[in-house]
Amino acid sequence: MSETVKRYYDDSAEREWSRLDHPYSRVEWLSTLRLMDRYLPETGHICDIGSGPGRYAAELLQQGYRVTLMDLSVKALALAEQEFRKLGLQAEAYLCEDARNLHLLEADQFEGALVLGPLYHILEEEQRLQVIRQTARILKADGVALFSYINSWGVLKAGVTEFSESYRDPEQIYGYLQEQKLDENRGLPKATSPSPLKRSMRFGPAGLTFFLTPERKAFWPECRPR
């Protein structure tokens, strides 16, 4: 991922920790917790890839999981460690790495993985697929990975519903039926927003069994190694 993305999350570490307390973000927080409770194994070691300052990792630690955090932002990881100490929590490791460096981790060592942000900051298709493949590689045979991404159909639905005056141009609406490229002026630095159908095609070749869940204001895939 680019230095632009790294700098953005270094500058936003505090905001990312508190963001999920905002009323507008509670849907994301509660629906993600629901999916984690439904699909992750009852115990084990979870790798939180793109963990940010560790809000979901903290929740997992409080439930008794072992958790390794991996994020490209050193400031986000430092904040996670600081907040965990306040809560009396301790992660297995804090790895300051780009998600594209998952090859550095040993294979078959995690019961579960969260990949809740990296895919939409990796603009090259092959690199996104490689992250999915490497996630499958680090999971044990019955492991589960939860992936999230910015769903262009979900963005369109929310935009038309909540900001209808900005969607009066038909060309703008049609654009959201295809993959979108985002930047700092459109919500996130160096990000991509594909359609659910295009995204679903990426998991099979990575050796994962794919489940598509229409929750979290978008589509959320849960995957298991074959």
Side-chain angles (χ1 to χ4, degrees):
M1 274 167 267
S2 72
E3 282 299 313
T4 301
V5 176
K6 180 179 182 298
R7 185 168 59 251
Y8 175 86
Y9 285 108
D10 275 341
D11 293 343
S12 305
E14 294 278 358
R15 183 168 67 246
E16 282 295 303
W17 176 264
S18 60
R19 178 179 65 84
L20 294 170
D21 295 325
H22 189 280
Y24 191 80
S25 298
R26 294 301 287 176
V27 172
E28 176 185 343
W29 170 249
L30 294 174
S31 59
T32 301
L33 293 181
R34 178 185 176 193
L35 290 163
M36 288 163 54
D37 182 65
R38 180 187 299 177
Y39 292 106
L40 289 179
E42 293 184 2
T43 61
H45 191 181
I46 309 297
C47 189
D48 189 353
I49 303 162
S51 64
R55 285 296 300 271
Y56 293 113
E59 186 72 21
L60 290 170
L61 288 167
Q62 290 172 327
Q63 294 179 29
Y65 291 92
R66 298 163 56 214
V67 183
T68 289
L69 287 76
M70 182 176 184
D71 199 89
L72 83 170
S73 168
V74 65
K75 292 186 178 180
L77 291 174
L79 181 59
E81 193 167 7
Q82 172 187 309
E83 294 295 335
F84 289 4
R85 279 198 300 269
K86 294 178 184 177
L87 296 169
L89 303 173
Q90 177 59 53
E92 295 292 308
Y94 302 88
L95 307 177
C96 190
E97 287 288 352
D98 189 309
R100 293 172 297 184
N101 293 333
L102 281 170
H103 62 275
L104 299 174
L105 300 182
E106 294 182 8
D108 305 316
Q109 64 170 311
F110 297 101
E111 279 76 20
L114 302 180
V115 190
L116 304 187
L119 289 183
Y120 49 77
H121 285 302
I122 299 172
L123 304 185
E124 293 76 17
E125 175 76 15
E126 180 54 36
Q127 290 183 1
R128 290 195 291 262
L129 184 56
Q130 187 62 22
V131 170
I132 297 168
R133 290 192 188 106
Q134 289 295 324
T135 301
R137 184 187 64 82
I138 67 173
L139 290 175
K140 294 182 179 179
D142 294 326
V144 176
L146 304 183
F147 296 86
S148 75
Y149 59 94
I150 301 173
N151 163 18
S152 62
W153 294 0
V155 172
L156 177 60
K157 178 179 181 295
V160 170
T161 302
E162 301 172 30
F163 311 102
S164 58
E165 68 281 357
S166 300
Y167 289 81
R168 292 175 179 172
D169 180 358
E171 291 302 318
Q172 183 173 357
I173 293 176
Y174 295 144
Y176 278 97
L177 301 179
Q178 308 299 322
E179 184 160 348
Q180 295 282 302
K181 300 295 184 183
L182 308 178
D183 56 32
E184 292 91 335
N185 297 318
R186 301 185 66 199
L188 282 173
K190 301 290 185 179
T192 182
S193 172
S195 74
L197 294 180
K198 183 172 182 180
R199 180 66 77 186
S200 68
M201 297 174 185
R202 295 174 180 152
F203 292 91
L208 292 166
T209 301
F210 172 78
F211 305 90
L212 193 64
T213 303
E215 302 191 38
R216 208 172 175 262
K217 295 190 73 175
F219 288 77
W220 176 291
E222 300 86 39
C223 302
R224 298 174 182 269
R226 288 176 180 152

